[in-house]
Amino acid sequence: MLFLKWIYLGFGLITSSHVCMSAGEIYTSLLNVKEAIAIERTLIDTLGTYIDHELERLEDLKRFHSRVSDLHIAVYNGSTTAMANPLIAFTLIKRLQSEWANLVYCNEASENTQALRSGFKALEASLPKMEDLQGAAKALMRLQDVYALQVGSLTRGRFQRAARGDPVDIYRPAVSVPLSGDDCFLVGKVAYELGDFYHSVPWLEESVRLFRGSGGAWRPENQGTLEDALDHLAFSHFKEGNVSYALSLSQELLHRDPMNGRVLQNVEKYETLLVQSTSLPVSQGVGMRRPNSTALRTRNTYERLCRTRGSQPKHYENQRLFCDYFTNGDPVLLLQPIRREVQSLQPYVVLYHNFLTDKEAEDIKTLSQQGLRRSVVASGEKQETADYRISKSAWLKDSASLLMGQMDGRIARLTGLNVRTPYGEYLQVVNYGIGGHYEPHFDHATSASSPVFKLKTGNRVATFMIYLSSVEAGGSTAFIYANFSVPVVKNAALFWWNLHRNGRGDEDTLHAGCPVLVGDKWVANKWIHEHGQEFRRRCALDPEE
């Protein structure tokens, strides 16, 4: 049976004085990533001060070195009568007795270092944790998979996939940075430690290539070295069945570190395996296989829809789909109709263009920032974070702003539904993180124990999702079984029915938020419940409808 997920229902606007940047959650929201930039600016200033002080200290060292060197050239290499000069003798003795010691044991260097460390320590609590680094690395691997990106292109700051053997740009960013050998090593190491050698191999291959290109030189800011990358890559290839290449890499590592006993043992092991087995090719193993996903059984369809910009071609050919100016028979909309684009008839999905203004979208984002917390999903009757949902969200009460009431009125006119609390949930605002996504799920509850029923107003009959921002690439909403996807359209709103008229869940509404490739994606969700709609969306005569 398909593994289903649903959204945890929570309410209220949290009124803390700052946006939460708790441990291991910076990567889950682009807003927090932006705040991390400000933190690094402070660190840059601290390091700049340290460098200035160290340069002053080095100038003093250079001055002393130059003075003493000049004495040895001009005075001590001269006639022996200079040595008899008591002034010269005195200054020599003084230098050797105190000046050299003062210079060598001077506290200025340690004081400068301590000032640098103190400045760093003051910000340390706000810095990314290991979970953030791992989360960001997993995001790169997720984007690699979903959008079929070439790792070699990513290291050059390009987003490309192979088409008929040639790299093709799927998005060319205006600003990008190449990755270093150490950057690639850390991504590969995250996969390696998860036992995911399918992903560790290409990233570690790039790491080795880049480290070799730099001559294997060590840099103090790096965590890994060429030796580390070779070590991890050799074992990754061994686990993938490529014993001959694992042996070649281990021999290269042994050449750089001849006394490494563990590598010596590995070389002997690989040589023995190759002698004993004739089934393995000389230069290639059994081939790398992508790890299976137990949670995402619609992975192929999901990823194909994410790679497709907008609806599938057959939907454009459907004569029953249309665009119009929609009024819903409402007096206000008669005066100012809204542009409606019907995306699908089963399930019924429509896109309302220009539902919000730019200012309204920014106001909603601003109102939500103080309350953003890591998005959770339901696990039985409990709530927990999950890798298949990477974002932060906040709930805005009706009292948060007059705009909330205006939004509810607008939604009610378009849908004809009662969206007032408790028949409509508070507005949920979501900001996606690095490679932020939400894998295929239903919005309506599929279990009687779901938190959705805490309102005691029935299940979620409909979803009204508003795009508060645009993105440069990725981030589409994909309807898996219905086989179409809708790109992000800033200020537009997507509406669909979650339940059939008989109250049963519509399985065709299985949908996903595709990973954001480039951009800062914000959405707002308004979920409308069954109760309160008795005379607005009536049951049909056909009990199966």
Side-chain angles (χ1 to χ4, degrees), residues 128-423:
K129 305 299 185 290
M130 179 53 68
E131 185 184 342
D132 287 301
L133 181 59
Q134 292 171 342
K138 290 177 183 177
L140 292 182
M141 290 183 272
R142 181 186 314 124
L143 295 173
Q144 170 194 345
D145 286 346
V146 173
Y147 296 107
L149 301 177
Q150 294 182 317
V151 175
S153 296
L154 288 173
T155 62
R156 298 191 299 273
R158 304 282 292 274
F159 298 94
Q160 296 178 318
R161 71 165 64 108
R164 297 179 181 177
D166 298 320
V168 176
D169 285 321
I170 64 170
Y171 178 75
R172 182 173 291 184
V175 179
S176 190
V177 294
L179 299 181
S180 68
D182 192 56
D183 294 333
C184 296
F185 171 72
L186 286 171
V187 178
K189 186 181 177 186
V190 168
Y192 177 94
E193 291 174 346
L194 292 170
D196 178 5
F197 305 111
Y198 172 86
H199 287 103
S200 70
V201 165
W203 286 98
L204 291 172
E205 289 277 14
E206 285 299 313
S207 176
V208 167
R209 181 183 67 82
L210 291 168
F211 274 134
R212 283 173 178 160
S214 63
W218 177 79
R219 293 180 179 178
E221 68 268 25
N222 286 354
Q223 181 174 334
T225 62
L226 175 57
E227 290 78 7
D228 292 328
L230 286 169
D231 196 7
H232 285 75
L233 179 58
F235 189 74
S236 295
H237 273 294
F238 166 68
K239 293 297 288 185
E240 287 292 321
N242 199 341
V243 181
S244 60
Y245 194 32
L247 173 61
S248 174
L249 292 166
S250 298
Q251 288 171 334
E252 180 182 351
L253 176 56
L254 197 60
H255 178 73
R256 301 182 66 88
D257 187 7
M259 304 307 293
N260 192 319
R262 181 176 55 78
V263 178
L264 274 169
Q265 291 179 350
N266 287 345
V267 167
E268 293 176 2
K269 177 180 178 180
Y270 298 153
E271 288 175 339
T272 301
L273 285 172
L274 287 174
V275 170
Q276 292 175 348
S277 175
T278 59
S279 60
L280 286 175
V282 175
S283 61
Q284 185 175 348
V286 297
M288 294 183 293
R289 295 184 179 89
R290 183 176 170 188
N292 291 326
S293 173
T294 56
L296 184 55
R297 299 185 183 180
T298 57
R299 182 169 70 183
N300 291 340
T301 302
Y302 162 60
E303 293 180 352
R304 175 176 55 79
L305 290 170
C306 288
R307 294 171 195 166
T308 305
R309 295 178 65 87
S311 302
Q312 303 308 302
K314 66 178 183 180
H315 284 78
Y316 289 124
E317 298 168 5
N318 190 334
Q319 301 273 333
R320 299 175 63 196
L321 301 181
F322 59 89
C323 298
D324 66 357
Y325 282 93
F326 183 63
T327 66
N328 203 25
D330 183 90
V332 174
L333 291 176
L334 285 170
L335 294 173
Q336 190 174 5
I338 194 165
R339 289 168 56 204
R340 177 178 64 167
E341 182 180 352
V342 179
Q343 301 283 322
S344 170
L345 297 175
Q346 180 50 45
Y348 180 74
V349 180
V350 296
L351 185 70
Y352 297 112
H353 291 267
N354 298 320
F355 175 78
L356 286 179
T357 65
D358 287 341
K359 183 180 184 305
E360 288 172 332
E362 290 303 314
D363 287 346
I364 292 172
K365 287 158 63 175
T366 301
L367 284 168
S368 69
Q369 287 181 12
Q370 292 182 347
L372 286 174
R373 298 294 182 270
R374 174 73 183 270
S375 297
V376 295
V377 296
S379 177
E381 295 185 359
K382 297 181 180 180
Q383 294 79 41
E384 59 184 25
T385 61
D387 285 343
Y388 60 75
R389 190 184 190 193
I390 301 299
S391 63
K392 285 191 173 180
S393 54
W395 296 85
L396 296 182
K397 285 186 174 181
D398 297 342
S399 58
S401 166
L402 291 175
L403 180 57
M404 297 301 101
Q406 295 170 1
M407 292 264 297
D408 282 352
R410 215 172 294 171
I411 296 171
R413 284 193 289 273
L414 283 172
T415 64
L417 298 175
N418 183 354
V419 302
R420 293 179 301 173
T421 308
Y423 308 117

Side-chain angles (χ1 to χ4, degrees), residues 4-19:
L4 305 178
K5 308 143 191 164
W6 54 86
I7 304 169
Y8 167 54
L9 177 62
F11 302 98
L13 174 64
I14 302 173
T15 56
S16 61
S17 59
H18 63 283
V19 175

Side-chain angles (χ1 to χ4, degrees), residues 61 98-107:
L61 294 177
S98 62
E99 290 184 16
W100 276 99
N102 291 340
L103 198 71
V104 171
Y105 294 109
C106 176
N107 290 329

Side-chain angles (χ1 to χ4, degrees), residues 49-61 63 101-116:
T49 301
Y50 167 77
I51 291 171
D52 290 342
H53 290 165
E54 280 293 279
L55 286 174
E56 292 175 5
R57 185 177 70 85
L58 289 174
E59 286 300 318
D60 289 336
L61 294 177
R63 177 182 47 76
N102 291 340
L103 198 71
V104 171
Y105 294 109
C106 176
N107 290 329
E108 187 178 6
S110 59
E111 288 172 358
N112 290 345
T113 302
Q114 184 58 40
L116 175 65

